[in-house]
């Protein structure tokens, strides 16, 4: 029975992506040879082994039992604390932390693989690691030496975990409405008071302390988002010698009863005269938080990929074993994986997963290259909302497809397909809803530079189309034709958006435009894979499947660009 | 807080559909004036009041508490038995039962409204009513006078409820694999033995007896589906005088732990030498079951519409009350319903709901007319898989959109948005998965007659396009242009399908083809509404919203036909 489908880390895909899908060893190219694709594959394989053995087996119990709030303390199911300690001891927390913060500073392209694997194995658990990673980025960017010494080092070592405290009951997507106050005390610390909601891993029993990063408003600060400052408010205060002191005045008032990620405690935290320490500049809170949010948004692309692949693995395993439809030569029936429509669904899932995975690696690579070449940064930043928005929306489709493959058994909780569907539903909401991503996309990334960055993307896709045609393979040329027509449609949609300019017309079709660029980018990733496969002197084992996935994606998913382009051109209909 | 969003029955829409959307009083036309649209609206209003007052308030508790199996008996949450009795006493069970079975024989077009309303108010509860309705149809079509007298009358009165027993662990979509046996006894009854799974409302405590309709195989029967016969096997045996006797040998072994519809007990039933009575001809079981399945499949269209509308109502209510984004003239923020992207999502939902609702009424009307004019039957039957498949897939999108409008609160169970999303996930699975529907569509409804019925549908849409143009309204003409281009795409896709002929190519794109026809039909429904609105001498209150919904649907949903047509033309990619 499929409940026992083991998690298989997608090592071959990462090897292909690091080594050849983009026409070169991207890891070596971005690191100047300091680290190579072969090193990356070894790291990914190690992470995959750890995830499959330690994290994946806790995923179902995490869902069934979930995090519990008892006497003001949050408890995770048995095994979570041990798994977290094992993660720390294996060095996986410090692996992706920047070198400037004392971490190993692994390239972002490798971070994409790690992020996918932790999330694929156990999405609720992975969130703990992801939130710490975000807090590390924010403190590394802005914290004083004292705060770095006291808090950042403990986050990087994994001894403590981190959280982001943004949302309040009346301040969701609109951070300007935040009311939590931070009042300066004579000793230089701040007194923090207010209620924060939706705090992921806001309390738990898997590590000895929690470093809350809190957005709050100081007395007399400007209205709106520009008046916000960022503070560290640890769950337990830290003595001068670094040892833990008394509890800070922050209480876990409730944890949410959610449709999914039951083992990720989503807390309501109440701060009442809690002690906080200013991070960075006064009223510079939003800038500090944006550092954290960008890393978290890219991380959501890894999460969406991971949960989608997990759903695919379960469905493929079930479909291979489930016999239905007896035929002459097989009286017991054929595996449903061979039935045309199940085959369609599985191919739809696998081709989406590859597109997401490849785009996440590409975005990681862009950030890696941008570290040495500022000119790459706009393209990297263009992709942040696309990666977050598109993969998270597609994860809903993929995990739903996963249920469909199981048929009636998919609606029953025991198979696990339902859990992936429930878990995935949060991804298009947190770290900025798809609408928030799409507003960022059209406002800051497309309209602001008059479409020049997105135009450069289209030009890159044109090059790939030409390379496809040059292979002269029948499938490659068919894909090239489809890709060329969709790039045309994307250009028309972009022209329509630029003609609208900022305002309601552009905003009202910003999500369709984001989905258009994501879908197109996914098709581009497949096209790059086909070009790479065509260069093989001898066909590799996975080549046929890569061609079929690419062909399928271009006929079933990429075709949606035509519909989305029509929608974008319509503007607001109200 | 939106948890308390009351259910509001969509009476104005039904009035519009019955009276004018199709250019005439369809109720009067189909019934030869025996009953009119005004009567229909009164019936819908009565049902809506009952549903809002009695059924909707139980929906959340039904989800939270769910059906429980204790000592072999299934118990529903408090209030369910009383609600069922109230439904019976108000005459709502017999209302839609055929006159031949002793029911009121309300037209199917009115049944569409009732079906939507019961499901919109409480989907888990409505399933009890739906399964009984299916059993009534099956017995009315084939049962002997004795079985009619003993069982059918009690089903029509609502005193007992009915179930369908098809699925077995190794026989899901493939009914030919059914192993349950029915061995003739000397007294003319049969001994039924075997295990049936996924039996909706297979046991409960809301009525005094349950009439199980069971597909089983008699000794020496042909292999496969052609060897199946249909039996009545009541939960409690019935004495000669009609009183209840001893329990039949059917046990509830388990109920499923499902992602949704928690108050609909999904039972594993074990028959061990249970007493059964043959319904209709020996080996004629599948034909008998098909009667039940057709009615159940149409009913799924009502269910998908109901849950979608419920999700829309919750989201619209929440969005109207949730303030975010303070602006100069409104420092507290504007309702998120006015934000461009939330507005887009709400419009996407409302325009889908209308399209589903109108199509369900149209299909009901086709069946009503087919009763007097056999020539209408092929068109009615063409629409059965489209209605079931398309509305159930779209219900996933609409209920997911509902969560998105709530943002983080949508992921939390308290608001109810998550329940609709969980409940809806079963609709594309039961009563035949979307793949089963699409195989029926392409095999029996499109390829078999060489595309002539679907061609007649396209011709009807052409007429509506011409009528739209004739109104000379700017929105109407815009919609006509979009509709005309999508009908062209649909014709091309149909030509491609006919060129494939039966086989893997057609099967592999049958779901995209079904979605194409459903999406197109939805656009046609909106187009008919625009034509009807254009005929108003004075604008009615809802006219502007109907135009905007139609405009939106044609730009956002109908446009997908272009993508789907490309996909269909690609055939199998394997």
């Amino acid at each position: 029975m499929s409940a026992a489908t083991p998690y298989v880390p997608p090592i071959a895909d990462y090897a292909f992506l690091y080594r050849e899908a983009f026409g070169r060893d991207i890891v070596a190219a971005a690191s100047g040879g300091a680290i190579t694709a072969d090193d990356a594959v070894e790291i990914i394989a190690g992470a995959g082994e750890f995830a499959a053995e330690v994290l994946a087996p806790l995923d179902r119990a995490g869902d069934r039992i979930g995090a519990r709030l008892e006497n003001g303390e949050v408890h995770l199911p048995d095994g979570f604390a041990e798994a977290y300690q094992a993660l720390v001891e294996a060095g996986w927390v410090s692996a992706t932390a920047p070198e400037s913060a004392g971490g190993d500073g692994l390239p972002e392209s490798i971070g994409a693989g790690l992020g996918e694997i932790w999330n694929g194995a156990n999405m609720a658990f992975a969130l703990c690691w992801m939130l710490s990673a975000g807090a590390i980025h924010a403190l590394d960017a802005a914290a004083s030496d004292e705060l770095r010494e006291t808090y950042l080092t403990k986050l990087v070592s994994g001894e403590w975990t981190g959280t982001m405290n943004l949302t309040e009951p009346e301040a969701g997507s609109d951070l300007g409405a935040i009311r939590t106050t931070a009042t300066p005390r004579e000793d230089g610390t701040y007194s923090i008071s207010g209620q924060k909601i939706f705090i992921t891993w806001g309390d738990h029993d898997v590590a000895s302390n929690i470093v809350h990063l809190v957005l709050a408003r100081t007395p007399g600060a400007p209205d709106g988002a520009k008046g916000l400052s960022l503070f560290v408010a640890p769950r337990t205060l830290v003595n001068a010698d670094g040892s833990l002191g008394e509890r800070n005045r922050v209480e876990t008032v409730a944890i949410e009863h959610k449709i999914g990620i039951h083992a990720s405690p989503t807390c309501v935290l109440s701060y009442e005269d809690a002690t906080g320490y200013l991070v960075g500049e006064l009223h510079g809170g939003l800038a500090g938080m944006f550092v954290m949010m960008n890393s978290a948004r890219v991380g959501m692309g890894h999460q969406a990929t991971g949960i989608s692949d997990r759903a695919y693995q379960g469905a493929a395993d079930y479909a291979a074993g489930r016999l239905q439809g007896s035929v002459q030569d097989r009286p017991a029936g054929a595996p449903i994986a061979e039935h045309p429509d199940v085959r369609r669904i599985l191919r739809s899932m696998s081709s989406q997963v590859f597109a997401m995975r490849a785009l996440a690696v590409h975005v990681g690579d862009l950030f890696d290259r941008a570290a040495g070449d500022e000119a790459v940064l706009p393209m990297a930043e263009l992709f942040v909302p696309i990666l977050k928005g598109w993969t998270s929306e597609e994860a809903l489709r993929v995990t739903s497809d996963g249920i469909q493959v199981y048929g009636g058994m998919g609606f029953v909780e025991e198979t696990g397909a339902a859990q992936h569907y429930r878990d995935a539903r949060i991804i298009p909401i947190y770290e900025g809803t798809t609408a928030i991503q799409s507003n960022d996309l059209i406002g800051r990334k497309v309209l602001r530079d008059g479409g020049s960055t997105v135009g450069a993307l289209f030009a890159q896709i044109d090059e790939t189309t030409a390379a496809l045609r040059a292979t002269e393979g029948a499938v490659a040329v068919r894909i090239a034709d489809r890709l060329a027509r969709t790039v045309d449609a994307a250009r028309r949609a972009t022209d329509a958006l630029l003609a609208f300019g900022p305002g309601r017309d552009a905003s009202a079709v910003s999500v369709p435009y984001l989905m258009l660029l994501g879908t197109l980018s996914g098709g581009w990733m497949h096209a790059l894979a086909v070009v790479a496969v065509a260069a093989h002197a001898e066909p590799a084992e996975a080549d046929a499947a890569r061609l079929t996935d690419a062909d399928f994606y271009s006929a079933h998913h990429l075709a949606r660009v035509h519909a989305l382009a029509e929608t974008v051109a319509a503007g607001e209909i109200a």
Side-chain angles (χ1 to χ4, degrees), chain A:
Chain A
M1 184 48 71
S2 209
T5 301
Y7 174 66
V8 181
I11 298 164
D13 257 17
Y14 278 101
F16 177 69
L17 291 166
Y18 293 142
R19 285 175 179 146
E20 52 171 332
F22 299 97
R24 63 187 178 284
D25 176 335
I26 55 168
V27 181
S31 69
I35 175 169
T36 68
D38 289 346
D39 300 326
V41 174
E42 204 172 308
I43 292 166
I44 293 295
E49 193 180 329
F50 180 86
E53 287 177 9
V54 178
L55 306 184
L58 294 173
D59 193 34
R60 299 281 297 129
D63 183 62
R64 270 204 317 278
I65 300 165
R68 291 155 295 125
L69 177 64
E70 283 165 14
N71 303 320
E73 309 265 343
V74 174
H75 302 281
L76 272 293
D78 286 350
F80 272 71
E82 292 77 3
Y84 180 76
Q85 289 310 320
L87 186 88
V88 168
E89 281 160 27
W92 292 119
V93 174
S94 50
T96 46
E99 287 184 15
S100 52
D104 301 340
L106 283 181
E108 301 282 344
S109 60
I110 300 178
L114 298 179
E116 183 200 322
I117 285 170
W118 307 145
N119 280 290
N122 192 327
M123 177 172 152
F125 179 95
L127 280 160
C128 181
W129 170 81
M130 294 176 86
L131 269 292
S132 287
I136 288 169
H137 276 287
L139 289 179
D140 188 43
S144 65
D145 286 346
E146 199 180 333
L147 289 180
R148 295 174 72 91
E149 173 64 26
T150 309
Y151 298 99
L152 183 55
T153 54
K154 300 281 191 174
L155 285 170
V156 171
S157 71
E159 194 172 336
W160 301 345
T161 70
T163 72
M164 293 169 70
N165 288 234
L166 290 76
T167 306
E168 298 178 7
E170 299 309 320
S173 294
D174 177 15
L175 294 175
I178 282 175
R179 291 184 197 163
T180 294
T181 57
T183 312
R185 295 176 181 148
E186 293 198 348
D187 64 357
T189 69
Y190 286 78
S191 163
I192 313 253
S193 291
Q195 195 179 71
K196 293 288 184 179
I197 63 172
F198 294 140
I199 308 309
T200 299
W201 283 85
D203 191 34
H204 59 75
D205 56 2
V206 310
S208 58
N209 201 7
I210 302 174
V211 182
H212 299 301
L213 289 183
V214 185
L215 271 189
R217 196 178 297 283
T218 47
D223 282 346
K226 286 174 184 166
L228 298 173
S229 304
L230 183 63
F231 299 86
V232 158
R235 184 176 64 159
T236 301
L237 295 168
V238 183
N239 297 324
D241 65 357
S243 63
L244 292 181
E246 54 185 54
R247 281 290 288 260
N248 203 352
R249 290 194 187 146
V250 47
E251 299 291 334
T252 305
V253 178
I255 62 174
E256 304 292 349
H257 175 214
K258 307 187 301 294
I259 187 175
I261 51 168
H262 295 159
S264 169
T266 305
C267 300
V268 178
L269 296 185
S270 175
Y271 293 84
E272 289 184 35
D273 188 25
T275 296
Y277 308 92
L278 180 67
V279 179
E281 300 292 321
L282 200 65
H283 309 158
L286 212 59
M289 213 40 126
F290 267 129
V291 172
M292 198 159 166
M293 280 198 289
N294 250 336
S295 125
R297 286 172 180 185
V298 169
M300 288 300 118
H302 311 154
Q303 181 167 83
T305 307
I307 195 76
S308 296
D309 188 39
R310 187 74 184 271
Y312 169 68
Q313 292 190 22
D317 184 50
Y318 181 79
R322 168 82 172 163
L323 304 181
Q324 283 280 273
S326 123
V327 281
Q328 199 126 37
D329 55 336
R330 284 191 289 193
I336 61 170
E338 296 179 17
H339 295 202
D341 192 67
V342 174
R343 199 161 175 145
R344 174 188 67 82
I345 301 178
L346 291 174
R347 200 52 90 176
S348 178
M349 299 172 80
S350 67
S351 67
Q352 275 289 12
V353 169
F354 177 81
M356 294 179 184
R357 179 177 290 148
L359 189 63
V361 168
H362 181 56
V363 173
D365 181 50
L366 287 172
F367 276 106
D368 290 336
R369 285 152 54 196
D373 177 4
E374 250 186 26
V376 180
L377 196 60
M379 187 65 80
E381 292 193 329
L382 172 74
F383 273 116
V384 172
I386 296 173
L387 182 68
K388 199 282 182 183
W390 170 68
T391 62
S392 63
E393 294 285 342
E394 291 300 338
L396 303 186
R397 190 197 307 263
V398 176
T399 54
S400 177
D401 282 348
I403 289 184
Q404 196 69 16
V405 168
Y406 284 82
M409 290 306 295
F411 196 68
V412 170
E413 290 287 0
E414 279 73 6
T415 52
Q419 182 189 344
H420 306 320
Y421 184 65
R422 291 187 286 96
D423 284 353
R425 191 60 192 82
I426 188 60
I427 316 180
I429 296 173
Y430 59 15
E431 307 301 350
T433 63
T434 308
I436 295 287
Q437 306 304 321
S438 68
N439 268 316
D440 175 45
L441 173 68
I442 61 165
R444 294 191 195 89
K445 315 291 169 70
V446 175
L447 294 179
R448 188 174 287 174
D449 73 2
S452 87
T453 304
V454 75
L457 168 63
F458 298 151
Q460 291 179 4
I461 301 177
D462 287 343
E463 284 175 31
T464 306
T465 305
L468 274 176
R469 290 197 205 283
T471 69
E472 295 181 4
V475 175
V477 170
R478 184 160 70 216
I479 295 170
D481 288 343
R482 292 173 181 146
L483 192 57
R485 285 191 296 112
T486 49
V487 175
D488 284 349
R491 284 194 166 99
R492 284 197 308 275
T494 305
D495 289 344
L497 198 73
L498 291 167
F500 292 144
R504 292 195 66 102
D505 273 318
S507 295
V509 295
S510 61
V511 168
Y513 184 72
L514 182 153
M515 293 303 290
L516 184 157
L517 289 186
T519 307
L520 175 64
S521 301
W524 179 36
M525 294 296 111
H526 277 290
L528 287 167
V530 170
V531 172
V533 162
H536 289 171
E538 286 182 41
E541 197 187 322
D543 285 2
R546 295 201 190 287
L547 281 181
T548 306
D549 266 355
D551 195 11
F552 186 98
Y553 186 98
S554 70
H556 285 249
H557 298 306
L558 188 61
R560 273 189 232 123
V561 166
H562 298 296
L564 291 163
E566 280 221 22
T567 301
V568 169
E572 184 173 39
I573 297 168

